[in-house]
Amino acid sequence: AEYYLSMQWVEEKAECLENVARRKLRVCVATCNRADYSKLAPIMFGLKSQPELFELEVVVLGSHLIDDYGNTFRMIEQDEFDIGTKLHTIVRGEDEAAMVESVGLALVKLPDMLQRLAPDVLIVHGDRFDALALATAAALMNIRILHLEGGEVSGTIDDSIRHAISKLAHYHAVCTRSAERHLIAMCEDHSRILLAGCPSYDKLLSAHKRDDYADIIKAWLGDSVKEQDYIVALQHPVTTDIKNSIKIYELMLDALMSFNKKTLILFPNIDAGSKELVRVLRRKGVEQHPNFRAVKHVPFDQFIQLVAHAGCMVGNSSCGVREAGAFGTPVINLGTRQTGRETGENVLHVRDADTQNKIYHALELQFGKRYPCSKIYGDGNAVPRILKFLQSIDMSEPLQKTFCFPTVWECISQDIDHILEMQSALAVDLGGTNLRVAIVSMKGKLVKKYTQPNPKTFEERIEVILSMCKQAIADAVHQNCRVLGVGVSTGGRVNPKEGVVLDSTKLIREWAGVNVRTPVSSALHLPVWVDNDGNCAALAEKKFGHGKGMENFVTVITGTGIGGGIIQHGELIHGSTFCAAELGHIMVALEGPECSCGSHGCIEAFASGLALQREAKRLHDEDLLLVEGMSVSNKEQVNAADLIHAAHLGNSKAEAVLHTAGTALGVGIVNILHTVNPSLVVLSGILAKHYEGPVCQVIRQRALSSARDIRVVTSDLEEPALLGAASMVLDYATRRTY
């Protein structure tokens, strides 16, 4: 049955994807300026090369269409791309008001274009105000957005624009691991973030192999200029501090004139303040100066050659801290515009560029050096990753974004539902012997509990679970309880994201590779959460027990087996393959009894109920268990309780077994303390009260002094598995879900 259910799900998913794949993915790439085209062009070539999969639409707007900035749309035409739409969206003025007006003009013109093209996906790049207009329009028109280079930090208004675009975008292709982590911290869905690298690096990393670089240098700087004997200068205004930008620009030009090296200087971008920078450049006569070549635009493939073979690059362009590192070109980064970006060792920062001498000294230190090539921003394979990512987009999935918010403290609120009904959860606990269901209130009260033997087969087990849950739902009405969902606690390794039991304990048969969530949710029409019983015990302590309000603690279950859960920074730790906190299988002896996992010397092999039962039977077989005041009617029913009883009556052999078990558990917990450094250890389960003393003693004797004062307590909860299962429902179903 479980195989059938899983295969049915796979077939439905495949059919859905096949329906989407019957037509090409219509991808619109919008480029606003020369800088973003250098990142978008490799992707555009990739899309164009696979016409059977993608239909490419190219939209050009922004400074591409302005003569003062080089009419750079022509290089797109030279690359043989069919520009379907040209939108004049720039309001001239190059000040703050002009930027705002340009965004407004773009928002007026974009809806008609987007409605006409009706793309499946719009690709936007970076942190420009033009890109913000594009993302705003597409998001409001329910068009999926792929944002390139989100999550980065550069220290100016660009940060605010970039992060705003990230919040509007549905998918992300980032360049660095740090950028990926920033987006996750911003609550973006990790499954929709691709760590691709920078697309321009696909071209950069092979650029230095071109044989015609000397001809390119001569064409732009003159016949007498040699490799590594010239400077590339590119500085843009910082829109949040235009006055200081102008000052730094003047100081840079003065320092370059004094340094007396051939310099290729590019005009600044169209941001507010660029007009003032150009005015400074012309006032100083840079365009007529024999050492300078001032240009509005250099084609990207030639520009990277010039950067790769320069003696130094100076300014505040992102190219200096990103692309230049791929060649080991020395860079001087002036001011705060790139503050926060990851850089290689080739970058020398002059953040407080307040004197000409400071910049001149930096030129002396950097000019002519070579550094190791850096691949922080990519390995040359970004485009194939992005194309594969685009193909994986399921157009049948809901367009509405979901944000992955971190855990927040519960707030006290009241509405009519709290007054008229008691919000509750159905908790299911699958033990090796019994299957239990309970109605659990928000305050952790077990309103009603149901118990039946756990069937041996999958089909019977699902049938009994559904039957018990339906009975509980019917009874909940009479108890004035509103059931919010179902939480399932089960032995074995569980993928809680999918609600699937991956591997089960030996006590629960036919319970591996089982999708528990789907059949229960489908039958009951309620959300379902599933997790391992040890993790549920930790969640129960977090919500209802000693762990309430604690950021870091560990729960250790001492019962038939040994298990537990770890809470770090208020979150349950699952691990990469969902087997974190297998505390019972921490090895405490190189040689020791065989464990149920197949290894030897695990805590569970010494201290679990089954281990104590094994030792009790051994002592009984050797006539060493019973003492005065004890009797066992059936040899086969000897268990851990008999061993504990014998020890309490003074049986030295039984005492030795319990001492060894307590020491093994204590040593294992010392290992936990030295690994995750919790502030509390909670012992749970039927054996917890017998182990608290021995565990504390071992910690005092063997733990590091920094961990020796850890608080060890015995759980006060009667039903940790059921309460933990309920807490999954009560914690999440009562929050607003985005």
Side-chain angles (χ1 to χ4, degrees):
E2 68 269 30
Y3 174 79
Y4 170 76
L5 286 170
S6 63
M7 287 306 296
Q8 185 180 32
W9 180 86
V10 169
E11 288 170 4
E12 288 173 356
K13 183 78 171 176
E15 184 179 355
C16 179
L17 291 174
E18 185 180 347
N19 289 335
V20 174
R22 284 172 185 162
R23 66 178 182 83
K24 301 175 185 178
L25 192 71
R26 192 175 177 85
V27 181
C28 177
V29 179
T31 174
C32 310
N33 55 63
R34 67 191 181 199
D36 77 15
Y37 181 66
S38 69
K39 314 295 175 66
L40 293 168
I43 300 172
M44 292 162 64
F45 280 114
L47 293 168
K48 187 178 178 181
S49 70
Q50 298 187 44
E52 72 282 1
L53 297 175
F54 303 106
E55 184 178 345
L56 173 63
E57 289 288 345
V58 179
V59 174
V60 171
L61 63 159
S63 59
H64 273 308
L65 302 171
I66 298 178
D67 182 62
D68 285 353
Y69 293 89
N71 280 329
T72 49
F73 73 89
R74 293 196 181 101
M75 66 182 178
I76 303 173
E77 293 175 336
Q78 288 168 3
D79 285 339
E80 298 183 352
F81 287 113
D82 181 15
I83 300 176
T85 305
K86 294 176 184 175
L87 292 179
H88 291 271
T89 58
I90 297 298
V91 176
R92 299 305 300 273
E94 283 78 12
D95 58 12
E96 295 94 333
M99 289 170 64
V100 177
E101 290 169 349
S102 296
V103 171
L105 180 59
L107 287 172
V108 169
K109 293 188 174 185
L110 284 168
D112 179 64
M113 179 272 292
L114 291 173
Q115 201 165 39
R116 175 171 50 83
L117 295 180
D120 296 316
V121 179
L122 172 72
I123 299 180
V124 297
H125 167 270
D127 49 27
R128 310 295 304 140
F129 59 84
D130 322 72
L132 178 61
L134 281 160
T136 302
L140 290 171
M141 295 181 70
N142 291 325
I143 295 169
R144 296 170 195 268
I145 302 165
L146 171 62
H147 183 209
L148 304 181
E149 297 187 10
E152 295 185 19
V153 178
S154 57
T156 69
I157 190 64
D158 294 350
D159 278 347
S160 299
I161 295 175
R162 186 186 311 109
H163 299 334
I165 295 170
S166 292
K167 301 316 291 180
L168 293 167
H170 305 83
Y171 307 93
H172 311 273
V174 300
C175 299
T176 69
R177 184 71 66 185
S178 292
E180 178 186 37
R181 289 171 181 158
H182 290 159
L183 286 178
I184 293 169
M186 289 163 61
C187 306
E188 292 298 307
D189 185 346
H190 196 178
S191 67
R192 293 192 171 196
I193 303 172
L194 171 69
L195 178 56
C198 182
S200 65
Y201 267 56
D202 288 22
K203 195 169 186 178
L204 287 175
L205 294 177
S206 59
H208 64 281
K209 298 176 183 177
R210 282 184 55 169
D211 297 328
D212 62 345
Y213 70 86
D215 295 333
I216 294 171
I217 294 170
K218 289 178 182 178
W220 289 98
L221 288 154
D223 293 342
S224 62
V225 179
K226 304 298 181 185
E227 178 183 4
Q228 297 182 26
D229 196 34
Y230 63 91
I231 296 169
V232 174
L234 177 54
Q235 185 164 332
H236 302 302
V238 177
T239 55
T240 51
D241 192 1
I242 295 173
K243 185 176 179 181
N244 194 48
S245 291
I246 297 168
K247 178 184 175 183
I248 293 175
Y249 196 65
E250 286 188 275
L251 294 173
M252 180 189 75
L253 293 177
D254 289 340
L256 287 170
M257 287 177 180
S258 299
F259 198 67
N260 199 31
K261 287 289 181 182
K262 278 286 187 180
T263 301
L264 178 73
I265 185 164
L266 280 83
F267 278 61
N269 64 22
I270 201 168
D271 280 351
S274 63
K275 185 169 56 178
E276 287 82 354
L277 265 57
V278 172
R279 197 174 289 137
V280 169
L281 182 144
R282 287 177 172 154
R283 189 178 71 242
K284 288 186 175 290
V286 168
E287 290 171 296
Q288 290 77 41
H289 197 286
N291 276 348
F292 285 84
R293 173 79 190 281
V295 297
K296 294 175 180 177
H297 168 68
V298 179
F300 181 70
D301 58 338
Q302 296 182 43
F303 181 66
I304 59 177
Q305 291 294 320
L306 292 166
V307 171
H309 299 282
C312 182
M313 185 173 184
V314 62
N316 65 2
S317 168
S318 62
C319 176
V321 297
R322 294 168 62 98
E323 282 85 351
F327 312 112
T329 301
V331 171
I332 299 168
N333 182 53
L334 302 177
T336 60
R337 189 171 183 269
Q338 301 301 334
T339 298
R341 282 203 195 271
E342 297 172 79
T343 64
E345 60 181 292
N346 64 309
V347 179
L348 176 63
H349 294 281
V350 186
R351 292 185 177 90
D352 189 15
D354 54 351
T355 67
Q356 174 186 337
N357 187 56
K358 195 178 287 186
I359 300 172
Y360 186 90
H361 187 57
L363 285 165
E364 288 184 318
L365 290 173
Q366 286 287 79
F367 186 79
K369 277 190 176 181
R370 299 315 290 178
Y371 290 90
C373 295
S374 166
K375 294 186 181 180
I376 294 173
Y377 288 93
D379 61 0
N381 296 297
V383 171
R385 294 188 185 109
I386 292 170
L387 296 184
K388 189 174 180 181
F389 189 55
L390 284 168
Q391 290 176 60
S392 73
I393 293 175
D394 183 355
M395 296 300 295
S396 66
E397 285 183 348
L399 181 68
Q400 177 61 51
K401 280 188 70 170
T402 57
F403 298 111
C404 302
F405 293 108
T407 302
V408 294
W409 297 112
E410 294 180 18
C411 59
I412 299 171
S413 62
Q414 192 173 36
D415 60 25
I416 193 69
D417 286 335
H418 289 85
I419 298 168
L420 298 179
E421 295 179 304
M422 184 164 53
Q423 293 183 315
S424 308
L426 284 191
V428 180
D429 177 36
L430 282 88
T433 305
N434 292 318
L435 196 162
R436 301 181 302 154
V437 172
I439 305 169
V440 182
S441 75
M442 183 66 73
K443 294 183 178 179
K445 177 186 175 184
L446 271 67
V447 178
K448 194 166 184 178
K449 188 166 68 172
Y450 312 78
T451 303
Q452 287 196 30
N454 194 345
K456 302 301 181 185
T457 66
F458 166 80
E459 291 86 353
E460 291 175 310
R461 189 173 296 123
I462 290 292
E463 186 178 341
V464 171
I465 290 173
L466 294 178
S467 174
M468 294 174 73
C469 286
K470 288 175 181 177
Q471 180 62 54
I473 290 171
D475 291 345
V477 176
H478 301 294
Q479 297 288 343
N480 201 34
C481 294
R482 180 158 62 96
V483 176
L484 303 173
V486 182
V488 181
S489 167
T490 177
R493 186 166 64 98
V494 177
N495 178 346
K497 294 180 180 178
E498 304 294 337
V500 173
V501 181
L502 302 171
D503 308 300
S504 183
T505 62
K506 292 181 180 179
L507 297 174
I508 309 177
R509 300 176 190 170
E510 293 191 18
W511 205 239
V514 173
N515 183 341
V516 180
R517 177 179 294 162
T518 300
V520 176
S521 181
S522 298
L524 303 180
H525 305 291
L526 287 169
V528 177
W529 287 264
V530 187
D531 213 329
N532 166 268
D533 50 10
N535 288 335
C536 285
L539 291 173
E541 293 296 335
K542 178 175 180 286
K543 188 166 183 67
F544 303 113
H546 292 292
K548 193 169 185 177
M550 304 287 290
E551 282 283 301
N552 304 289
F553 71 92
V554 173
T555 298
V556 181
I557 303 176
T558 57
T560 306
I562 302 288
I566 299 172
I567 302 291
Q568 283 280 294
H569 305 299
E571 292 287 342
L572 185 65
I573 302 300
H574 284 101
S576 59
T577 56
F578 312 106
C579 68
E582 286 287 356
L583 308 183
H585 300 294
I586 295 174
M587 294 183 66
V588 293
L590 295 178
E591 300 293 336
E594 184 177 1
C595 182
S596 61
C597 70
S599 186
H600 290 262
C602 300
I603 297 176
E604 192 168 292
F606 287 102
S608 66
L610 288 176
L612 297 185
Q613 181 182 42
R614 181 193 68 228
E615 291 301 301
K617 286 183 176 180
R618 178 182 65 78
L619 291 176
H620 192 267
D621 289 343
E622 297 173 4
D623 294 326
L624 298 174
L625 178 66
L626 300 182
V627 295
E628 187 176 350
M630 277 189 70
S631 64
V632 177
S633 58
N634 187 337
K635 175 182 173 182
E636 296 302 321
Q637 293 178 352
V638 172
N639 56 35
D642 296 315
L643 183 79
I644 293 169
H645 188 200
H648 287 168
L649 292 175
N651 184 326
S652 60
K653 298 290 186 183
E655 288 175 346
V657 171
L658 285 180
H659 176 74
T660 300
T663 302
L665 181 61
V667 169
I669 289 176
V670 167
N671 290 333
I672 296 169
L673 301 184
H674 293 169
T675 304
V676 297
N677 191 28
S679 53
L680 175 71
V681 174
V682 182
L683 299 179
S684 181
I686 57 175
L687 298 173
K689 62 182 179 180
H690 302 292
Y691 283 140
E692 184 177 349
V695 165
C696 290
Q697 185 177 359
V698 173
I699 290 173
R700 285 193 297 270
Q701 293 171 347
R702 304 197 183 200
L704 293 171
S705 59
S706 55
R708 204 170 290 156
D709 294 331
I710 184 76
R711 192 158 66 96
V712 179
V713 296
T714 300
S715 175
D716 296 330
L717 303 178
E718 292 183 12
E719 297 286 0
L722 285 171
L723 289 175
S727 76
M728 292 189 289
V729 178
L730 300 174
D731 268 353
Y732 293 100
T734 55
R735 295 188 193 142
R736 185 175 176 188
T737 303
Y738 293 87

